[in-house]
Amino acid sequence: MTTTTLAVLVPLLPFLGAAAGLLLGRTAPGFVRPIAVLPTLASLVLAVLVAVRQGGDEAVDAATELTPTGSVPIELALHIDGFAALVAVLVAFVATCVQIYSTGYLRDDSRYPSYAALVSLFTSAMLLVVYSGDLMLLLVGWEVMGICSYFLVGHYWETPEARAASLKAFLVTKLGDVPFLIGLFALAADAASFRITRVLDTVANGGLDHPTLIALLLLAGVAGKSAQFPLHTWLPDAMAGPTPVSALIHAATMVAAGVYFIARLLPVFEASQAAMVVLAVMAAVTMAGSGLAALAQDDIKRVLAYSTIGQLGYMTGALAVGDRGAAVFHLLSHGAFKALLFLAAGVIIHAAGTNSLAAMSRMHGLRDRVPDAYWTMTVALLALAAIPPFSGFFSKESVLGAAEHVTTGHSEHAPAAAGWIVLVVGLLTALLTAAYAARLWLLAFRGHGTEAPDHGRQPLTMTVVLWVLAAPSLALGGLAYQSLPGWFDGGELTPTLTTSVLGTGLALVGGIVTYAAWRHTTELAARVPLGAVAAHPEGDAAQVEAEAIASHEPVYGGVAHAPDPADPGRLLLGPLHRHAAVGFHVDAVYSALFVRPVRAGAGLVRFLDREVVDTYVRGAGALPRWLGAAVRRAQTGNVQTYVSALLAGTVVLVVAAVLVATGA
Amino acid sequence: MTLAAAAATAHATATTTAADAHGFLSPTGVEIAFLLVGLVTFGAAIVTVTTRQLVHAALWLVVTLGGLAVEYLLLTAEFIAWVQVLIYVGSVVVLLLFGLMLTKAPIGRSPDADSGNRWAALTVAVASAAALIWVVVDAFRTTWIDLDGAPAGSTEVTGKALFQNWVLPFEALSVLLLAALVGAIVLSRKAKAAESGTESAPPVPSTRTAKGSDKGGVR
Amino acid sequence: MHLAYPAVLSVLLFCTGLYGVLARRNAILVLMSVELMLNAVNLNLVAFDVWLSRAAEETLHSGQALTLFTIAIAAAEIGIGLAIVLAVYRNRGTSDIDKLRDTAEGHEADASAGDAAAAESAAEKAEATA
């Protein structure tokens, strides 16, 4: 088979799996798990094959036009360069892990067939985005992901949090998608083609008329999908979905799509200095804000969600300094360790019966209950905190290195201001990242208090996947940083000494400070009993998680935070903690800016409809009703009256006829 | 008026004798008789439709119909006149009297013989009378009937006309009369059958059962 | 004789009958008024027939033949009409036309009133037969 055929099969197989899963889910429940796992696994094998054949050489391009579509043709096009090949491998790898993990996690879930089919569809859409060589085709995958995320985040639709979160995810990403669509049209109008290669040629020849406008419009869509400030608010709330879905969304698919899209079309953004600065500012605000917010979260998954936002900030930061190699490198390593973090968190939530760090910090020996999760999570957190030699260190250093490279004015693509912003905030975020990683680890695994409940061994499918993911988290960076430039643009990804020392030092400082704070506050934990565990700890992990999510707000008074004085984050953040816990009131701002005006508008429309329009309608009905009442009174039932009227009319008509006939 | 002119020209050949030959103010003996009998007939008709005594109305109807028979005679339609006397005065009025009795019409003055529709009826009647008289007089004021010579409606003439030219409608009419006879019988029997049906069915409203039982008592 | 005399008499009788049909309450009186109207038509037919048989050499005597038919039909009509009136009287206990208002808007009240009248008349009948 040619590389093109293989590449076509990569997104097609999960799609067929999804269709088969939806069709056979009810009639043949025995086939649901194979149908869910095998296509994704085959797609992983094919993606690896495609990557091996492509090998970072000349990009594979193939296109066919199904039907003429007017002045700007839309083609089914593939464009596989080194980025696409490697990202597809990551997507298929994480998706396979998630599918296998889900068979254990949603073991007893009645909606597993549709869930698995949607995950397959999600994977297929992401692979389509990755391989697509045509912007319209890319948009198809982009939007399919949006709707899949809506369904998957709302998997526990019995809980109000999940319903609200799924709607929010959908609406916020759509808020970005509308300008994104307009931006795509503007881009295609300037380039006279939706083909990415031709668009890039046009950009290279300077044929773009409105680079800043297009870049900013596209940026809005990217911000929505990749959860960048100010459209990031859906991501923490999306934690109301099942943990494997969070892993999928955060590690490989949805949020990666935005970063990947910029990486693909980076020359378009580079054509506008303003867009690059905006991108840098966006990345900086996202990184710093999410780091602070992550320190204050109580829900273990929300900590991870904010960390995802922060790491995505690193990626957009790398893009803002014009180094897409670093961005995609970080995307790959982050995909591995973030998937691991989420899947391990799922195991922990199942074992602890709660998603609250405050409750976990009051459990003794949780790590002994889930040794696999403990060790792999430790690895992943070290990678997240960018401690050498874990993978996160190399990818993050490549980002910081690229930023430092720009600050010295060695790049013609990116303004030096963007470099400074990304570098400074990136270093600050390294500190914050290490701090919240340490806090998470300490609270989850170093708890004091009652013995953690024993719910038996975790399913094998769940623990094996953790170790499979631990390998790249541990070693990917170190092994790959020298070979990856060959796949990418050829830019240097080796860590530079300055940023390495600075970044690692700051990370160590963050970890140590957090540890000290934790030592200081941990005595308080025993004095303030807190915590609630799921009502059915014997159920499968999905049920436990759904109950944990549903009970968090009634028990702690909020989905995001707990009134826990033993939290080291509370000590570290001080007065900031209150604001950080609610995500710096961005939701409140949105509520004031959008929700309330929309509600008020709806109320106005409702008033106009009920009171004003309906008045006219009722008035229009009243006149015929009065007429009808008048006519009804004439219906006396007295035949003589009727005949009298009839004859009187006849006489009048006859007289009139005679008068007309005689011409009088 | 053009209508009158049109009528005049249409009958110009027929009316060889024009109005100037026979003025309205120069009536013959037949006309005087016709007018007098006509006044009696009209008066009787007025009394028929206005009297408060129902039986009297039937009797005044006899006077009206008899007066009409006389008018037929004056128009030399002898056969029609006798048929009028036989059928109307002889049978129809008797039937009506039977109907009055069977429906327990009050004997003597009944104050509610006229309905509340009276004034509307009067208006319509007067208006249509005015319109019709206007049209008729306007159209036929010059038309003259020549009553001299052989009578136009003797039994011989009528019989010839009927059995030469009108045989088929005449026979069809006999079938119609038969149908009416059967219909009248069915109508009167059907009501009894329906009542006996309600009588036999036990669960019926109290008024119906009372009525049915007293019907049974009548029988 | 002027044709106008029978024609005008006919009109007057017709309108008298018309008034009777519209104004009389008792159904049998209405039937009498119908007879008046029919006779007015008969008079018209006879008068025109006599006129035309002389003036136009018309030998069919259609006017008189039609008059005979009308008389026969009127006899049939009065028979059927009386049968109907009797049936109505048996069912409703009245032969007053303006009380037969089943087609009126909201006739339930009238119908119940009619039932009451029927019960009343039935009671009277019972007294009479007792």
Side-chain angles (χ1 to χ4, degrees):
Chain A
M1 278 196 282
T2 62
T3 312
T4 311
T5 319
L6 290 178
V8 168
L9 280 176
V10 169
L12 198 60
L13 281 174
F15 178 77
L16 294 177
L22 283 176
L23 286 176
L24 298 177
R26 289 191 182 280
T27 51
F31 290 106
V32 168
R33 281 175 178 79
I35 283 175
V37 174
L38 290 180
T40 320
L41 193 62
S43 157
L44 168 63
V45 173
L46 294 179
V48 170
L49 264 178
V50 169
V52 168
R53 289 206 192 173
Q54 202 272 337
D57 304 332
E58 192 65 22
V60 177
D61 264 304
T64 174
E65 189 175 1
L66 277 187
T67 174
T69 49
S71 56
V72 182
I74 297 171
E75 290 165 281
L76 298 181
L78 283 174
H79 176 70
I80 303 172
D81 50 11
F83 294 106
L86 287 182
V87 173
V89 170
L90 170 79
V91 170
F93 177 60
V94 172
T96 309
C97 290
V98 164
Q99 284 282 23
I100 294 171
Y101 183 89
S102 297
T103 58
Y105 195 82
L106 288 93
R107 194 177 45 206
D108 304 328
D109 196 300
S110 59
R111 292 198 293 273
Y112 175 73
S114 63
Y115 163 86
L118 282 169
V119 169
S120 291
L121 185 61
F122 205 144
T123 312
S124 161
M126 182 62 193
L127 289 169
L128 182 66
V129 167
V130 171
Y131 276 169
S132 165
D134 188 278
L135 288 174
M136 272 297 127
L137 204 57
L138 186 147
L139 187 70
V140 170
W142 186 274
E143 296 295 342
V144 170
M145 275 199 286
I147 193 69
C148 282
S149 74
Y150 167 75
F151 284 125
L152 288 173
V153 169
H155 183 73
Y156 305 135
W157 47 256
E158 293 91 345
T159 60
E161 288 85 1
R163 288 199 296 274
S166 60
L167 264 181
K168 188 174 179 183
F170 190 71
L171 289 178
V172 172
T173 50
K174 281 293 152 285
L175 189 65
D177 283 352
V178 174
F180 182 73
L181 186 62
I182 299 169
L184 279 190
F185 285 148
L187 186 61
D190 277 359
S193 171
F194 281 114
R195 283 291 294 276
I196 289 175
T197 47
R198 280 184 217 142
V199 168
L200 294 182
D201 286 347
T202 313
V203 175
N205 299 330
L208 221 52
D209 294 335
H210 317 93
T212 308
L213 181 69
I214 290 172
L216 289 179
L217 283 172
L218 293 178
L219 210 53
V222 168
K225 262 307 187 256
S226 280
Q228 295 298 293
F229 178 85
L231 295 180
H232 65 278
T233 57
W234 64 272
L235 195 67
D237 284 358
M239 293 303 106
T243 302
V245 171
S246 306
L248 190 65
I249 291 179
H250 288 228
T253 53
M254 186 121 160
V255 297
V259 171
Y260 177 78
F261 177 79
I262 304 187
R264 271 229 141 155
L265 291 181
L266 190 60
V268 176
F269 292 85
E270 282 174 346
S272 161
Q273 298 276 311
M276 295 300 265
V277 174
V278 168
L279 196 60
V281 170
M282 192 173 90
V285 172
T286 308
M287 280 192 279
S290 70
L292 290 172
L295 257 180
Q297 301 301 311
D298 178 58
D299 183 346
I300 182 169
K301 282 174 70 186
R302 286 180 80 94
V303 176
L304 298 178
Y306 274 110
S307 88
T308 303
I309 298 175
Q311 300 306 307
L312 288 164
Y314 271 115
M315 297 174 210
T316 46
L319 294 166
V321 295
D323 190 341
R324 55 178 174 172
V328 176
F329 183 26
H330 196 51
L331 176 66
L332 294 175
S333 67
H334 168 256
F337 69 71
K338 186 49 62 72
L340 175 55
L341 278 174
F342 269 111
L343 298 183
V347 173
I348 291 167
I349 289 171
H350 184 201
T354 177
N355 60 358
S356 161
L357 283 174
M360 287 178 196
S361 70
R362 285 159 179 76
M363 283 180 190
H364 178 68
L366 188 56
R367 66 185 160 188
D368 299 327
R369 298 277 175 242
V370 281
D372 307 291
Y374 170 63
W375 286 112
T376 52
M377 194 149 188
T378 307
V379 169
L381 283 172
L382 287 171
L384 173 65
I387 303 297
F390 297 96
S391 63
F393 166 74
F394 293 96
S395 57
K396 191 183 284 184
E397 289 318 319
S398 71
V399 173
L400 294 176
E404 190 237 21
H405 189 64
V406 170
T407 55
T408 52
H410 288 95
S411 168
E412 71 275 20
H413 294 307
W420 277 112
I421 291 170
V422 172
L423 182 63
V424 171
V425 180
L427 286 171
L428 175 66
T429 309
L431 174 78
L432 290 170
T433 308
Y436 65 70
R439 169 176 172 265
L440 174 65
W441 189 80
L442 289 168
L443 288 181
F445 297 119
R446 293 278 167 182
H448 297 284
T450 52
E451 192 74 10
D454 186 1
H455 301 145
R457 286 189 59 79
Q458 298 296 321
L460 195 63
T461 46
M462 285 159 69
T463 49
V464 165
V465 166
L466 298 182
W467 287 109
V468 171
L469 280 164
S473 304
L474 190 65
L476 176 71
L479 294 178
Y481 76 91
Q482 280 161 335
S483 57
L484 275 179
W487 291 73
F488 297 158
D489 297 334
E492 192 65 31
L493 294 176
T494 316
T496 58
L497 185 64
T498 331
T499 55
S500 300
V501 170
L502 268 176
T504 313
L506 281 169
L508 284 174
V509 167
I512 289 164
V513 167
T514 309
Y515 181 75
W518 175 74
R519 285 301 295 262
H520 182 69
T521 57
T522 191
E523 285 82 31
L524 291 170
R527 273 184 256 151
V528 185
L530 257 184
V533 291
H536 303 92
E538 309 306 326
D540 73 343
Q543 190 189 0
V544 169
E545 188 192 5
E547 284 172 356
I549 292 168
S551 62
H552 196 281
E553 185 159 2
V555 172
Y556 300 107
V559 288
H561 66 93
D564 179 16
D567 189 345
R570 197 173 282 271
L571 182 69
L572 289 175
L573 289 171
L576 262 180
H577 181 271
R578 194 164 52 86
H579 307 292
V582 292
F584 296 104
H585 306 290
V586 175
D587 277 337
V589 171
Y590 274 123
S591 168
L593 277 184
F594 295 104
V595 178
R596 257 181 253 153
V598 168
R599 288 235 169 120
L604 180 68
V605 168
R606 180 190 153 92
F607 167 78
L608 287 177
D609 185 56
R610 292 273 165 88
E611 304 298 329
V612 179
V613 177
D614 275 10
T615 305
Y616 285 108
V617 173
R618 278 193 292 269
L623 183 64
R625 203 182 312 128
W626 289 336
L627 282 176
V631 172
R632 197 164 55 194
R633 292 179 71 93
Q635 302 297 313
T636 58
N638 190 345
V639 185
Q640 287 181 318
T641 318
Y642 299 165
V643 178
S644 302
L646 188 69
L647 288 173
T650 311
V651 170
V652 170
L653 280 179
V654 165
V655 170
V658 168
L659 286 178
V660 168
T662 56
Chain B
M1 277 209 162
T2 51
L3 183 64
T9 50
H11 302 296
T13 52
T15 55
T16 47
T17 48
D20 50 354
H22 309 282
F24 282 103
L25 297 176
S26 63
T28 62
V30 180
E31 283 186 309
I32 293 171
F34 191 94
L35 274 178
L36 291 176
V37 176
L39 280 177
V40 171
T41 307
F42 179 54
I46 295 286
V47 175
T48 303
V49 296
T50 52
T51 180
R52 295 183 183 278
Q53 306 196 39
L54 304 187
V55 181
H56 286 200
L59 297 178
W60 280 109
L61 185 65
V62 172
V63 175
T64 313
L65 298 176
L68 271 171
V70 176
E71 303 284 45
Y72 292 152
L73 272 180
L74 288 174
L75 286 167
T76 71
E78 300 160 14
F79 184 70
I80 302 287
W82 297 123
V83 167
Q84 170 89 359
V85 170
L86 276 175
I87 292 184
Y88 270 111
V89 182
S91 68
V92 167
V93 174
V94 172
L95 260 179
L96 287 169
L97 283 170
F98 266 109
L100 281 176
M101 282 187 276
L102 283 174
T103 57
K104 294 195 173 304
I107 296 172
R109 298 172 69 83
S110 53
D112 57 347
D114 290 343
S115 66
N117 199 36
R118 186 167 57 231
W119 294 110
L122 190 62
T123 312
V124 169
V126 169
S128 52
L132 282 173
I133 287 174
W134 166 47
V135 172
V136 164
V137 168
D138 204 36
F140 299 112
R141 64 185 166 199
T142 59
T143 310
W144 181 262
I145 307 175
D146 188 9
L147 289 176
D148 298 335
S154 67
T155 312
E156 186 190 357
V157 173
T158 313
K160 271 185 183 170
L162 263 185
F163 291 105
Q164 277 179 355
N165 304 317
W166 299 91
V167 175
L168 190 62
F170 187 79
E171 295 300 330
L173 194 67
S174 65
V175 177
L176 178 87
L177 281 173
L178 181 64
L181 178 73
V182 174
I185 292 172
V186 166
L187 270 175
S188 13
R189 283 181 60 85
K190 209 172 186 180
K192 278 174 193 160
E195 282 197 4
S196 66
T198 57
E199 196 175 15
S200 65
V204 283
S206 58
T207 57
R208 298 276 169 169
T209 45
K211 195 160 134 194
S213 61
D214 78 58
K215 281 283 175 193
V218 171
R219 262 181 238 125
Chain C
M1 187 165 70
H2 280 290
L3 184 57
Y5 290 123
V8 168
L9 179 62
S10 164
V11 165
L12 288 174
L13 283 179
F14 182 85
C15 291
T16 312
L18 185 63
Y19 168 77
V21 166
L22 296 184
R24 289 306 225 177
R25 175 171 273 154
N26 192 306
I28 293 175
L29 289 181
V30 170
L31 283 177
M32 290 182 194
S33 306
V34 171
E35 293 304 315
L36 271 180
M37 291 165 78
L38 283 169
N39 274 288
V41 173
N42 284 350
L43 179 59
N44 231 355
L45 284 171
V46 169
F48 277 85
D49 181 71
V50 171
W51 169 49
L52 284 177
S53 67
R54 296 295 163 79
E57 305 291 324
E58 195 257 7
T59 53
L60 278 177
H61 283 297
S62 52
Q64 295 196 43
L66 279 176
T67 307
L68 283 172
F69 294 163
T70 312
I71 289 170
I73 289 171
E77 173 253 315
I78 207 82
I80 298 280
L82 278 175
I84 292 174
V85 169
L86 285 179
V88 167
Y89 179 76
R90 270 197 216 107
N91 277 332
R92 303 296 179 91
T94 181
S95 55
D96 287 354
I97 282 183
D98 56 358
K99 284 181 185 161
L100 305 174
R101 294 195 176 190
D102 285 357
T103 60
E105 172 75 22
H107 68 88
E108 283 82 6
D110 286 347
S112 64
D115 274 356
E120 201 177 317
S121 74
E124 282 170 19
K125 199 173 285 180
E127 281 169 24
T129 50

